[in-house]
């Protein structure tokens, strides 16, 4: 079964959707879209360093993405507006990554695959990494779910309940770094933030509880993978961007539905 490249691509995309759904919900609730974007851009630098040091690309991407996330967390609130800080670090990391790649003359690298993904080239080994990473992310978020929700709702409420908001931020940071590392092969560094945000945003009008939103986001993400791959196969379009387009259509559909409900309620 896994000899079929479309089957491997579908399984890889669903694995990323499962990891991105619960994390993407927190990204939407906490308004951390730029934070996810900055972490994803840093992954390109991690890829370059991993190739230069001849280590696992997954390990390099996780290390640099985590370093970027921790740097942003550490520098926030020290005289810089968050959007300014994220803009500087995100674009700087991407630029340094692209420059670093240009020095790897002895190594053949398809830069477009890391920028926009190459899901159709996913191997069995990649599948193991993607689903292993997804399992870690889902387990981590599930383990800290109540604490993360409390810290997201109110830092004062978290302190009153004996929860350290900075520790929960660290959990989200680690989960984000792992998700970026496993998703870079599927949708690429430039589209990872879209897979975090769009399915979760599309699920919001259909959800009554946080748990429902995470589950519906996972379903929308998985369906977007299947629809995007089918469209890419039929129309000969890039697979990664096609998946994101499918998710965007789902967001448009749920937004229209919310508008119709609001109009009916009025």
């Amino acid at each position: 079964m896994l000899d079929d490249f479309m089957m491997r691509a579908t399984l890889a995309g669903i694995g990323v959707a499962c990891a991105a759904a619960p994390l993407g919900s927190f990204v939407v609730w906490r308004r951390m879209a730029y934070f996810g974007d900055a972490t994803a851009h840093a992954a390109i630098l991690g890829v370059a360093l991993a190739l230069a040091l001849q280590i696992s690309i997954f390990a390099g991407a996780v290390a640099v993405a985590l370093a970027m996330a921790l740097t942003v967390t550490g520098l926030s609130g020290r005289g810089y507006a968050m959007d300014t800080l994220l803009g500087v670090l995100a674009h700087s990391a991407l630029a340094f990554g692209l420059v670093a790649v240009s020095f790897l003359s002895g190594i053949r690298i398809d830069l477009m695959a890391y920028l926009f993904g190459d899901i159709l080239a996913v191997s069995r080994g990649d599948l193991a990494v993607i689903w292993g990473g997804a399992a870690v992310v889902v387990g981590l978020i599930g383990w800290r779910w109540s604490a993360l929700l409390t810290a997201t709702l109110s830092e004062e409420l978290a302190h009153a309940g004996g929860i350290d908001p900075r520790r929960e931020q660290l959990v989200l940071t680690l989960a984000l770094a792992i998700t970026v590392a496993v998703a870079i092969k599927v949708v690429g560094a430039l589209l990872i933030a879209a897979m975090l945000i769009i399915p979760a945003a599309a699920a919001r009008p259909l959800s009554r509880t946080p748990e429902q939103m995470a589950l519906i986001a996972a379903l929308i993400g998985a369906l977007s993978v299947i629809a995007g791959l089918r469209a890419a196969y039929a129309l000969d379009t890039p697979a990664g961007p096609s998946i994101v387009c499918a998710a965007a259509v789902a967001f448009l559909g749920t937004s229209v539905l919310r508008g119709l409900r609001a109009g009916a309620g009025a």
Side-chain angles (χ1 to χ4, degrees), residues 245-263:
C245 287
V249 170
F251 172 74
L252 177 62
T254 60
S255 297
V256 170
L257 181 61
R258 179 172 60 181
L260 292 175
R261 285 179 175 177

Side-chain angles (χ1 to χ4, degrees), residues 150 156-163:
T150 303
E156 290 78 10
L157 185 62
H159 282 300
I163 298 170

Side-chain angles (χ1 to χ4, degrees), residues 112-255:
M112 295 297 288
Y114 291 105
L115 290 175
F116 297 101
D118 192 10
I119 190 173
L120 298 180
V122 167
S123 66
R124 294 188 183 193
D126 293 328
L127 270 181
V129 170
I130 289 169
W131 276 96
V136 170
V137 170
V138 171
L140 194 61
I141 297 296
W143 173 49
R144 303 301 304 169
W145 182 262
S146 296
L148 285 168
L149 280 178
T150 303
T152 299
L153 181 64
S154 168
E155 289 194 3
E156 290 78 10
L157 185 62
H159 282 300
I163 298 170
D164 183 0
R166 293 187 66 85
R167 181 184 61 197
E168 305 312 318
Q169 176 72 31
L170 182 60
V171 170
L172 282 179
T173 297
L174 177 59
L176 181 60
I178 295 173
T179 301
V180 165
V182 300
I184 195 169
K185 182 78 172 181
V186 175
V187 291
L190 299 183
L191 300 176
I192 290 172
M195 283 303 291
L196 282 169
I197 299 164
I198 298 177
R204 198 167 194 172
L206 307 177
S207 311
R208 293 185 177 181
T209 66
E211 292 79 9
Q212 279 187 356
M213 181 168 164
L215 290 174
I216 294 174
L219 179 60
I220 290 174
L223 292 176
S224 298
V225 168
I226 295 170
L229 285 174
R230 280 184 169 272
Y233 184 80
L235 304 175
D236 193 24
T237 54
S242 297
I243 291 170
V244 175
C245 287
V249 170
F251 172 74
L252 177 62
T254 60
S255 297

Side-chain angles (χ1 to χ4, degrees), residues 1-9 11 124 127:
M1 181 178 68
L2 293 183
D3 288 333
D4 185 346
F5 73 96
M6 285 297 289
M7 181 60 71
R8 290 197 301 270
L11 290 174
R124 294 188 183 193
L127 270 181

